């Protein structure tokens, strides 16, 4: 296998997942700032031009972070980061979906439509610049909702560290760099973020 890697929260998620699994996958960097992900060589790997992409041993390519992590979990089930029972897997997937749609997607699109606009406007369709603040507000609102749901838990799925934690951590680390910090009133999220940040995989 080979991971086509770059800057950004999505590749960070996969690197962190790999690190938690303790597996070794060679990496090749694709320069996102220069737009190498939109050039013909990478489009053969991933026609969406997104990052990251995982090249499998049979020569095929897999993209989309959830699909990549699901595949790696099936190939390397220990330690379980999605779950070891149907109930655990369902819980992880439920929270991963909520976080992805409610926090990550509006946060990323808010960035692309504002601070990231010079880099992204020639590459994809963006909402109007006036909508960026609304997208960021949606991400903030859903993060505060999540904070309320998580009281008394160590991680998003209780005592289990999972893909849901990795997904949220990578995007909140990204948000802190692009003007979307964790709200001060989200006390659980702030404490949780520090717990996850202390894990060696966070630096992957």
């Amino acid at each position: 296998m080979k991971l086509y890697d770059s800057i950004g929260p999505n590749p960070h998620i996969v690197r962190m997942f790999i690190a938690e699994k303790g597996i070794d996958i060679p990496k090749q960097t694709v320069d996102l700032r220069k737009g190498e992900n939109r050039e013909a060589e990478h489009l053969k790997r991933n026609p969406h031009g997104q990052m990251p992409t995982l090249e499998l041993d049979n020569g095929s390519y897999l993209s989309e972070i959830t699909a990549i992590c699901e595949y790696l979990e099936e190939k390397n089930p220990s330690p379980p980061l999605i779950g070891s029972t149907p109930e655990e897997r369902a819980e992880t997937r439920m929270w991963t979906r909520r976080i992805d749609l409610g926090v990550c997607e509006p946060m990323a699109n808010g960035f692309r439509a504002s601070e990231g606009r010079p880099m992204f406007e020639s590459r994809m369709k963006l909402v109007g610049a006036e909508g960026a603040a609304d997208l960021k507000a949606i991400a903030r609102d859903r993060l505060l909702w999540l904070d309320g749901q998580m009281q008394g838990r160590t991680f998003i799925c209780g005592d289990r560290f999972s893909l849901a934690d990795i997904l949220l951590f990578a995007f909140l680390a990204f948000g802190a760099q692009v003007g979307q910090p964790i709200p001060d009133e989200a006390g659980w999220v702030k404490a949780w973020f520090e717990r996850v940040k202390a894990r060696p995989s966070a630096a992957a």
Side-chain angles (χ1 to χ4, degrees), residues 1-193:
M1 288 189 286
K2 179 191 287 187
L3 180 67
Y4 291 89
D5 191 20
S6 72
I7 60 169
N10 287 329
H12 187 193
I13 291 161
V14 175
R15 291 194 309 271
M16 194 169 171
F17 195 91
I18 290 169
E20 286 283 340
K21 286 287 183 184
I23 54 180
D24 183 32
I25 298 178
K27 300 177 182 67
Q28 179 175 320
T29 300
V30 175
D31 194 329
L32 194 68
R33 289 191 177 95
K34 290 183 178 179
E36 285 184 0
N37 57 309
R38 299 287 169 162
E39 295 176 358
E41 184 177 357
H42 186 68
L43 291 174
K44 291 177 184 176
R45 305 178 195 118
N46 183 349
H48 282 289
Q50 298 168 336
M51 297 300 298
T53 296
L54 183 67
E55 182 177 357
L56 306 185
D57 291 338
N58 65 5
S60 64
Y61 296 97
L62 189 61
S63 55
E64 306 300 338
I65 54 174
T66 303
I68 292 172
C69 292
E70 291 266 6
Y71 175 79
L72 294 174
E73 176 98 344
E74 290 193 25
K75 298 289 282 187
N76 304 272
S78 182
L81 294 174
I82 296 173
S84 56
T85 67
E87 292 77 15
E88 287 182 353
R89 289 190 289 272
E91 182 184 30
T92 302
R93 288 164 179 152
M94 175 182 72
W95 284 111
T96 298
R97 180 72 169 166
R98 288 172 172 171
I99 291 164
D100 199 11
L101 293 179
V103 179
C104 305
E105 191 169 303
M107 176 182 284
N109 286 329
F111 163 72
R112 292 177 186 131
S114 54
E115 295 92 343
R117 195 172 198 92
M119 180 166 61
F120 288 100
E121 62 184 348
S122 64
R123 305 182 188 184
M124 62 178 65
K125 184 70 175 175
L126 302 173
V127 301
E130 67 281 356
D134 288 337
L135 287 166
K136 293 176 182 181
I138 289 169
R140 186 180 190 279
D141 178 74
R142 298 317 294 165
L143 190 60
L144 290 172
W145 174 84
L146 180 69
D147 186 79
Q149 297 294 309
M150 293 293 109
Q151 300 304 310
R153 300 186 183 206
T154 302
F155 299 113
I156 291 167
C157 292
D159 292 330
R160 289 191 301 116
F161 183 76
S162 73
L163 175 59
D165 297 286
I166 294 172
L167 174 68
L168 185 61
F169 176 81
F171 268 86
L172 293 186
F174 168 74
Q177 299 172 356
V178 296
Q180 297 185 65
I182 300 170
D184 287 338
E185 56 268 46
W188 183 91
V189 173
K190 279 181 168 285
W192 163 89
F193 186 87

